[in-house]
Amino acid sequence: MNPAKDRKLARLALGMLSVFETVGLIVITLATLVAGVFEVKTMVVAGTVTLADLLLLFLYLEIFAMVGVYFRSGQLPVRFPIYIAIVALARYLVLDMKSLDDWRMLGVTAAILLLAIAVLVIRYGHTRYPYNGNPKDSDSLL
């Protein structure tokens, strides 16, 4: 194996992955923007705003925040997808409350509780046991 050639190949591969990653994030941002505009249009046409509408808009804002953090820092905090999952489950609970049986409702609320505990554990671990190595590795998805 030629180490110099392998480094060039690795740099090329990382560069291509970076381009795909950036394009993917731009697509996610544009799709979220379009979905948000359609949701606001639906609220205006309906002439009312429900809690489910607000939670959906909050989900869109969380996605924007997650993409923004990634573009600013180059890392994706693990907490952001958990926050999005909590809000999505809360929205599901609000929308389908009348059609959910007791066990399913209990399951969804237990999932929300477990996700909230996961955020607390991650935050506690991050503050109690900070990363001493590369700061870019802290609290990020690999």
Side-chain angles (χ1 to χ4, degrees), residues 55-104:
L55 289 172
L56 187 59
L57 289 175
F58 186 71
L59 280 171
Y60 295 149
L61 286 175
E62 284 294 320
I63 292 170
F64 284 136
M66 188 170 58
V67 171
V69 164
Y70 185 81
F71 275 128
R72 275 192 299 277
S73 67
Q75 53 187 335
L76 181 62
V78 174
R79 294 184 319 271
F80 274 79
I82 296 175
Y83 295 148
I84 291 170
I86 291 170
V87 174
L89 286 170
R91 185 175 185 276
Y92 171 69
L93 199 60
V94 167
L95 287 178
D96 294 336
M97 181 161 307
K98 292 179 184 174
S99 66
L100 292 177
D101 63 1
D102 293 341
W103 286 107
R104 185 167 299 230

Side-chain angles (χ1 to χ4, degrees), residues 40-48:
V40 169
K41 181 182 172 200
T42 302
M43 289 186 304
V44 169
V45 168
T48 185

